[in-house]
């Protein structure tokens, strides 16, 4: 065990808990929800700059503040980061550079000179990701021949065919369908006859080979296939080309939310608006107007900056704030909790979405992540929403329990073949799709994962322990829960931890699974629980906290290794607490040092601060900093520890 600062076990947690409660209560919106910023890298802002330049709507937005924001995010080495502390990322830096040039910054600008040096050292444009090349092709800085073709006829493949668009993950699907139109039309928008980014080709513009990168393995067959698609396009021999484009257009229009969103994510919104531009929609068309308004709602303007979030998280934030406030001692019928709970009930998704294409038996009942996302409720939000609601005492308890019952039934129909649960779909697991040249982010599918499965099983355990469990008849799902537990057994790593798909990383995954196993099956899974708890103890930092870098997704040597953060420390504490309840073996010393770390990091306003990104979009390719993660998770950890200490007295 490393040397750790002295802990004072007699210290009262009442004051830190109350400070945190008061801060979170002060952040509630009048409608009842909580919502904080979801921070990612600068490509979202860069791509929105490009979007407005293409549509000619840039003059109506504060582009000077967008420039200031992009400049503020440049790092010392000249690049822009994918996540905090990575030193700079090639594709992210190229897109930031492109946006600054579109905003009129000359290539001679000192900031761009430093960026150019960084980009060239990393291999230049030719080494960037496919989506970056697509954006560059749109503004005439890359040739479309180096971008994969997406035949429009895939839109016409039936839902029961071995491959169709519903075999793509929800986020890939909502982003790819509009790109079918964009990549078919291959537009080039010239804003200045002299505009180019030739200086960013390491090999020199005269030596560029616009071709898909080869892997020297079986996946190169996709490159040969792509060559065939491109030849058919040149000879105008693509079957059902126009029919496929019309089908893609209708799919886009049908899936726009009344609020203007597509899929609840900026890539889908951006690509859909680009597709409509390619189809000559007018800026005043209602679909375009709503779409632009949605992009504006995802964007933030401050005194100095203008930037865009990849997604927004009001439902997710509200769920966790409700859980934290309720577990930390606020009465179950506290006015703030009642208002938040009723808002949450109103957000239950009772419409059939894309999930119903592969799930023919389920009836709606889940929750989504954003304000409006009827087509894509997700299992993680839904299970967490149930656990938040059971903590509350609402004026209409029958309505609450009816909503919980509908959600439980829906979730159980979303179980995948291996026994786990995925985020948005069932059996969305054709791994070959990640080997397509188009899929260099390796995020084209949505297979079941340990962390989402753990959330479902924890929910089932909490419902089982609740006084009204008989009304839900959980016994009818016993076989499914057993399959889920077996799936988690198989997913445990040799070190004893579990992979975290939607949070960074093994600390997140391990904490969630320990909570699930401890509440649902503590006796049978005692060995698995002890191994997971021992792993958490082994990676505690010298300051008493826990931290893990996003780099652990690329290199297992970084499992559980990183600068301590409040959110990851809270996850570890909660995992150890639940493991101790299950086995009777509490890691008191580790827990006390962890609590000491959280207390020492809280400020007078009741807040915690962390720079690190502890949320995951796509492992290795896209990360998120939830600005409320450092608030509600530490409150949960302090509260659960405090209750346990009270029981020891």
């Amino acid at each position: 065990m490393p040397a750790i600062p002295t802990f004072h076990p007699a210290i009262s947690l009442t004051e830190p808990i109350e400070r945190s409660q008061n801060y979170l209560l002060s952040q509630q919106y009048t409608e009842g929800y909580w919502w904080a910023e979801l921070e990612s890298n600068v490509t979202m802002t860069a791509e929105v700059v490009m979007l407005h330049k293409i549509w000619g709507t840039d003059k109506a937005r504060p582009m000077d503040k967008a420039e200031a924001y992009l400049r503020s995010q440049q790092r010392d080495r000249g690049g822009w980061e994918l996540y905090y502390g990575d030193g700079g990322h090639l594709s992210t830096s190229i897109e930031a550079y492109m946006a600054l040039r579109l905003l009129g910054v000359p290539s001679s600008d000192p900031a761009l000179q430093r960026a150019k040096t960084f980009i060239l050292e990393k291999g230049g444009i030719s080494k960037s990701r496919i989506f970056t090349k697509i954006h560059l092709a749109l503004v005439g800085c890359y040739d479309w021949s180096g971008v994969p073709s997406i035949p429009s006829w895939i839109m016409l493949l039936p839902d029961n065919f071995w491959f169709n668009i519903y075999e793509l993950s929800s986020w890939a699907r909502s982003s790819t369908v509009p790109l079918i139109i964009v990549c078919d039309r291959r537009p080039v928008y010239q804003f200045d006859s002299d505009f180019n980014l030739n200086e960013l080709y390491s090999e020199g513009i005269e030596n560029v080979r616009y071709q898909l990168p080869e892997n020297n393995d079986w996946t190169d067959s996709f490159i040969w296939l792509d060559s065939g698609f491109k030849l058919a396009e040149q000879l105008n021999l693509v079957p059902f080309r126009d029919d496929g484009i019309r089908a893609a257009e209708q799919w886009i229009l049908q899936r726009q939310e009344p609020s203007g969103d597509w899929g609840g994510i900026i890539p889908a919104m951006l690509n859909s608006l680009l597709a409509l531009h390619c189809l000559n929609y007018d800026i005043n068309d209602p679909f375009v107007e709503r779409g632009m308004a949605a992009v504006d709602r995802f964007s933030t303007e401050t005194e100095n900056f203008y930037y865009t979030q990849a997604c927004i998280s009001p439902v997710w934030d509200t769920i966790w704030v409700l859980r934290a406030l309720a577990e930390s001692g606020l009465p179950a019928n506290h006015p703030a909790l009642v208002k938040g709970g009723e808002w949450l009930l109103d957000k239950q998704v009772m419409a059939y979405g894309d999930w119903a294409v592969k799930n023919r038996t389920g009836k709606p009942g889940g929750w989504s992540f954003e304000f409006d996302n009827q087509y894509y409720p997700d299992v993680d939000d839904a299970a967490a929403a149930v656990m938040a609601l059971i903590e509350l005492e609402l004026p209409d308890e029958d309505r609450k329990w009816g909503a919980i019952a509908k959600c439980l039934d829906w979730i159980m129909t979303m179980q995948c073949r291996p026994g786990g649960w995925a985020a948005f779909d069932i059996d969305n697991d054709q791994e070959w799709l990640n080997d397509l040249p188009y899929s260099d982010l390796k995020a084209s599918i949505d297979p079941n994962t340990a962390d989402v499965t753990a959330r479902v099983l924890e929910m089932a355990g909490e419902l089982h322990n609740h006084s009204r469990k008989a009304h839900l008849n959980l016994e009818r799902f016993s076989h499914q829960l057993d399959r889920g537990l077996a799936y988690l057994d198989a997913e445990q790593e040799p070190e004893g931890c579990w992979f975290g798909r939607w949070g960074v990383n093994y600390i997140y995954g391990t904490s969630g699974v320990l909570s699930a196993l401890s509440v649902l099956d503590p006796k049978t899974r005692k060995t698995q629980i002890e191994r997971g708890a021992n792993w958490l103890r082994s990676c505690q930092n010298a300051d008493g906290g826990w931290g893990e870098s996003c780099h652990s997704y690329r290199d297992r040597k970084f499992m559980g290794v990183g600068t301590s953060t409040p959110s990851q420390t809270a996850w570890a504490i909660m995992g150890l607490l639940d493991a101790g309840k299950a086995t009777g073996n509490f890691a008191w010393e580790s827990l006390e040092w962890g609590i000491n770390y959280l207390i020492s990091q809280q400020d007078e306003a009741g807040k915690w601060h962390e720079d690190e990104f502890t949320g995951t979009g796509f492992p290795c390719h896209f990360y998120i900093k939830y600005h409320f993660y450092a608030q509600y998770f530490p409150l949960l950890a302090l509260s659960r520890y405090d209750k346990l200490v009270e029981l020891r007295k």
Side-chain angles (χ1 to χ4, degrees), residues 605-630:
K607 296 188 294 183
W608 286 269
H609 174 78
E610 62 188 24
D611 293 317
E612 289 75 13
F613 286 35
T614 63
T616 308
F618 309 144
C620 302
H621 298 286
F622 189 78
Y623 299 101
I624 302 166
K625 176 183 173 182
Y626 294 85
H627 282 215
F628 264 171
Y629 268 22

Side-chain angles (χ1 to χ4, degrees), residues 350-573:
M350 298 307 298
Y352 285 89
D354 277 9
W355 56 270
V357 172
K358 299 184 74 172
N359 178 355
R360 303 289 187 178
T361 61
K363 295 180 180 179
W367 270 267
S368 61
F369 189 73
E370 308 86 354
F371 284 113
D372 300 290
N373 197 348
Q374 295 293 299
Y375 278 94
Y376 300 110
D378 70 271
V379 172
D380 209 3
D381 270 272
V386 167
M387 289 190 282
L389 288 170
I390 62 177
E391 297 283 346
L392 310 180
E393 183 181 322
L394 301 181
D396 191 343
E397 282 287 290
D398 288 338
R399 181 193 177 200
K400 182 186 85 172
W401 283 101
I404 288 173
K406 289 184 177 70
C407 184
L408 175 64
D409 288 347
W410 176 72
I411 287 175
M412 289 302 157
T413 68
M414 294 293 288
Q415 189 172 29
C416 300
R417 282 185 298 260
W421 279 264
F424 295 93
D425 284 297
I426 59 171
D427 301 328
N428 189 275
D429 54 8
Q430 294 196 30
E431 293 186 7
W432 66 272
L433 290 169
N434 278 338
D435 293 316
L436 293 171
Y438 172 79
S439 301
D440 57 357
L441 297 187
K442 306 301 180 187
S444 289
I445 57 175
D446 180 17
N448 48 196
T449 63
D451 47 348
V452 177
T453 302
R455 193 89 66 209
V456 171
L457 298 183
E458 183 186 6
M459 174 203 70
E462 292 291 348
L463 287 172
H464 181 75
N465 293 335
H466 199 276
S467 61
R468 294 193 59 164
K469 62 182 179 181
H471 294 266
L472 298 173
N473 190 17
L474 287 169
E475 288 74 16
R476 62 198 164 109
F477 300 123
S478 58
H479 177 64
Q480 287 171 272
L481 298 178
D482 287 342
R483 289 180 59 220
L485 289 166
Y487 171 79
L488 291 182
D489 290 344
E491 288 296 302
Q492 190 167 25
E493 301 285 340
E495 295 84 353
C497 53
W498 282 269
F499 178 81
R501 165 62 180 84
W502 296 99
V504 183
N505 172 352
Y506 294 95
I507 293 175
Y508 180 82
T510 304
S511 173
V513 174
L514 288 178
S515 294
L517 298 183
S518 299
V519 73
L520 190 61
D521 191 21
K523 294 181 179 179
T524 307
R525 262 72 188 187
K526 182 178 180 180
T527 299
Q528 291 92 323
I529 292 170
E530 288 180 337
R531 291 181 60 220
N534 288 337
W535 180 83
L536 280 176
R537 292 181 62 197
S538 74
C539 57
Q540 188 171 21
N541 288 332
D543 60 5
W546 279 264
E548 183 173 1
S549 165
C550 300
H551 199 59
S552 64
Y553 285 104
R554 292 191 179 275
D555 190 339
R556 290 174 65 87
K557 290 187 298 186
F558 290 87
M559 295 167 69
V561 176
T563 302
S564 296
T565 68
S567 60
Q568 291 168 319
T569 299
W571 296 337
I573 289 171

Side-chain angles (χ1 to χ4, degrees), residues 8 55 60 191 203 257 322 355 401 421 434 458 473 630 636:
H8 303 289
W55 274 98
F191 310 108
E203 66 271 45
E257 297 284 343
L322 288 172
W355 56 270
W401 283 101
W421 279 264
N434 278 338
E458 183 186 6
N473 190 17
L636 273 169

Side-chain angles (χ1 to χ4, degrees), residues 41-50 70 79-80 82 89-103 112 115 119 125 128-136 138-139 195 197 200 266-267 270 441:
N41 63 72
V42 299
T43 57
M44 300 298 108
T45 301
E47 291 161 16
V48 167
V49 167
M50 179 192 69
L70 291 170
W80 283 263
L82 189 64
H89 179 259
L90 175 61
S91 293
T92 304
S93 300
I94 291 171
E95 295 200 31
Y97 186 106
M98 172 194 71
L100 287 171
R101 290 293 313 280
L102 289 173
L103 291 171
L112 293 192
I119 290 167
I125 287 175
S128 65
R129 63 187 182 187
I130 290 298
F131 286 109
T132 297
K133 290 174 178 174
I134 290 174
H135 298 141
L136 294 174
L138 286 167
V139 297
F195 182 82
L197 300 181
L200 299 187
I266 278 292
L270 171 83
L441 297 187

Side-chain angles (χ1 to χ4, degrees), residues 132-375:
T132 297
K133 290 174 178 174
I134 290 174
H135 298 141
L136 294 174
L138 286 167
V139 297
C141 296
Y142 192 78
D143 195 282
W144 280 104
S145 63
V147 172
S149 293
I150 314 176
S152 62
W153 48 258
I154 68 171
M155 288 298 305
L156 308 176
L157 297 175
D159 298 346
N160 58 359
F161 193 62
W162 66 273
F163 168 71
N164 59 79
I165 60 169
Y166 297 99
E167 297 299 335
L168 294 170
S169 61
S170 61
W171 55 87
R173 184 187 320 135
S174 59
S175 299
T176 299
V177 170
L179 280 183
I180 289 173
I181 296 172
V182 175
C183 291
D184 180 85
R185 295 295 191 263
R186 298 185 179 184
V188 177
Y189 301 101
Q190 292 284 357
F191 310 108
D192 185 328
S193 59
D194 296 327
F195 182 82
N196 65 70
L197 300 181
N198 293 351
E199 67 272 18
L200 299 187
Y201 286 94
S202 297
E203 66 271 45
I205 188 64
E206 67 281 356
N207 298 316
V208 176
R209 299 174 63 194
Y210 298 103
Q211 59 185 25
L212 302 177
E214 296 182 355
N215 299 313
N216 297 316
D217 57 26
W218 72 271
T219 61
D220 287 344
S221 59
F222 293 128
I223 298 176
W224 308 331
L225 192 61
D226 184 78
S227 299
F229 291 153
K230 286 184 167 62
L231 179 61
E233 291 168 359
Q234 293 169 6
L235 299 175
N236 198 25
L237 296 176
V238 178
F240 307 109
R241 184 174 189 171
D242 293 339
D243 292 337
I245 294 297
R246 282 191 291 270
E249 177 185 5
Q250 289 304 306
W251 194 93
I252 293 168
L253 299 181
Q254 290 166 4
R255 277 160 180 75
Q256 187 182 36
E257 297 284 343
S259 59
D261 304 30
W262 279 280
I265 54 175
I266 278 292
M269 295 156 67
L270 171 83
N271 293 349
S272 295
L273 286 166
L274 290 173
L276 296 183
H277 193 279
C278 289
L279 295 173
N280 298 317
Y281 277 64
D282 187 82
I283 186 62
N284 297 314
D285 184 277
F287 288 101
V288 177
E289 286 185 337
R290 288 195 298 267
M292 286 293 183
V295 172
D296 287 340
R297 284 195 301 275
F298 277 47
S299 300
T300 299
E301 182 179 1
T302 68
E303 182 180 354
N304 299 311
F305 299 137
Y306 182 74
Y307 55 91
T308 303
Q309 299 176 74
C311 188
I312 55 176
S313 55
V315 172
W316 186 245
D317 283 338
T318 300
I319 287 166
W320 284 103
V321 174
L322 288 172
R323 290 191 71 183
L325 290 175
E327 288 197 37
S328 63
L330 259 65
N333 62 352
H334 186 284
L337 300 188
V338 169
K339 197 168 188 179
E342 292 187 320
W343 181 88
L344 187 60
L345 280 177
D346 289 340
K347 288 298 176 181
Q348 187 171 24
V349 178
M350 298 307 298
Y352 285 89
D354 277 9
W355 56 270
V357 172
K358 299 184 74 172
N359 178 355
R360 303 289 187 178
T361 61
K363 295 180 180 179
W367 270 267
S368 61
F369 189 73
E370 308 86 354
F371 284 113
D372 300 290
N373 197 348
Q374 295 293 299
Y375 278 94

